[in-house]
Structure formats: C-alpha cells, structure tokens
Amino acid sequence: MRWLILFLLAPVTVLAQDLQGNDTASNWRVTHYASHGVWNSICDEREEYGALKQRCYIRRAEVFSYRPKFGAQYIFITPAPDGVEIEFGIEPGTLFSPSGFRIDGEQGVAWRTRRPGCLTGLGCRFKGPRADEIVQAMLDGDGYRFVFRDRHGQAQDLTWPLQEFDAAWQDFRHQAQARNLLTSQH
C-alpha cells in the first residue's frame, strides 16, 4: 500500500506502471491537470500495443501518518460503463467506527457506508446507482468524515472538505466527455 500511496502523491508521469505491470517510470503523458482545493482532476494517455489509451479521474490522497508508522488513504473517481466508479484505498487493518465513514452536510449525515470491506480496509468500491448516490452527496455535502483506528492502533479523525468538489466534478466530466470516456448524462 505504501508504494501505491507514493504513486498517488507523486507527479503522475514519474511513477507509473509499464505495460507489463511493473512499477517503473512509464510512458503516461499528462494531458490535463487541475487542482480544486484538495481535489485533483487529471487526464493522461499512452500508446498501448499500437492504440492510444486515455483515462481521466478525480483523485484525493492523504497521508495521515508518516514514518515509522506510515498510513494513508485515497479516493479515485473514474469513468465506468454505467456512469462512474468510486474506489477508496484504505490500509488493511484500518477499523472505522460504525458511523465514521460518512459525508456530512448541513442537515447532518448525508451519506454513510457500513460495508464491512470499507470499514476494515478490505476493499471499498461503488458503481452504478451507488456511485451516483455518493457523487450527489459529495456535491451537496460539506465534508467527508473519517473516524477510525489505523493499522497501528492510532486514533484518526480526518475531514476532507467538499466545497471545491463541484468544480473538480465539472472539470472531470468535461474532460472525460471530450475524450469519449464518460456518457453525457453523467
């Protein structure tokens, strides 16, 4: 996980996987990069077996604990055949409180998950209507709230502000649609 987080925090073209899946400097070329508060809207491309492969995504990554007890988490929002896919990267062994993985809004909790995989770092992905529900909560909400014990047993309480998410979402949609990576209704 540490190498994955370093990849997420480093410039995209410096650390990437080659066509064989090795973590080496690669041939991805950033074609679009925009920061909106803590949210990044990124597109890049490379040649794969004679064809141009393009991708766009929204990314947020946070290192919440440095050496020697490294800990981090991230979110990726990417185009999917039925809209978008949302993936949370959480360290294995992380334990969220029962209401500690949520989006807060003016009226209280706008969205939360109680999926066991999300609450324990075993895998946390949402697609289709579930992803759409999260995006809408992000657009309407004030902040992501993460209350948990990390894999080292340290209590953590993180908030990711959502005030600039709308700008990142609009930019991502525009860029992904321009590359035919996202259907127009999303």
Side-chain angles (χ1 to χ4, degrees):
M1 182 84 155
R2 180 178 295 166
W3 293 111
L4 179 60
I5 297 302
L6 290 174
F7 163 73
L8 295 172
L9 296 175
V12 176
T13 57
V14 174
L15 296 172
Q17 288 189 340
D18 62 18
L19 293 178
Q20 290 74 40
N22 300 311
D23 289 328
T24 61
S26 184
N27 55 349
W28 285 105
R29 294 174 303 280
V30 176
T31 57
H32 176 76
Y33 182 93
S35 290
H36 304 277
V38 301
W39 304 96
N40 298 311
S41 173
I42 303 167
C43 297
D44 51 23
E45 65 186 22
R46 73 177 177 187
E47 292 289 325
E48 287 189 2
Y49 309 107
L52 181 65
K53 178 169 181 164
Q54 297 179 312
R55 59 186 187 178
C56 292
Y57 46 93
I58 292 177
R59 173 185 77 182
R60 164 71 173 135
E62 181 172 353
V63 174
F64 54 80
S65 181
Y66 295 91
R67 286 184 167 171
K69 295 183 177 183
F70 179 83
Q73 66 185 38
Y74 66 85
I75 183 176
F76 269 120
I77 302 174
T78 57
D82 57 349
V84 296
E85 179 176 320
I86 299 174
E87 177 184 4
F88 293 92
I90 303 162
E91 301 265 348
T94 299
L95 296 174
F96 283 85
S97 68
S99 64
F101 195 126
R102 67 184 190 264
I103 297 172
D104 291 334
E106 287 182 18
Q107 307 298 320
V109 176
W111 176 87
R112 79 177 72 210
T113 186
R114 290 197 170 112
R115 281 187 178 182
C118 295
L119 299 180
T120 59
L122 296 176
C124 190
R125 284 188 180 184
F126 297 88
K127 297 178 183 181
R130 295 290 313 252
D132 293 341
E133 177 185 324
I134 295 169
V135 168
Q136 191 59 54
M138 292 174 74
L139 291 168
D140 296 338
D142 297 328
Y144 261 107
R145 186 78 185 277
F146 303 102
V147 180
F148 59 97
R149 289 208 170 276
D150 66 23
R151 66 188 174 123
H152 304 290
Q154 299 296 308
Q156 304 288 341
D157 188 344
L158 307 177
T159 300
W160 293 354
L162 291 168
Q163 288 77 15
E164 306 250 1
F165 179 75
D166 182 55
W169 175 249
Q170 296 307 321
D171 184 69
F172 161 75
R173 289 180 59 223
H174 173 75
Q175 295 296 325
Q177 288 171 353
R179 293 162 176 78
N180 293 318
L181 301 173
L182 190 64
T183 60
S184 60
Q185 69 264 19
H186 285 90

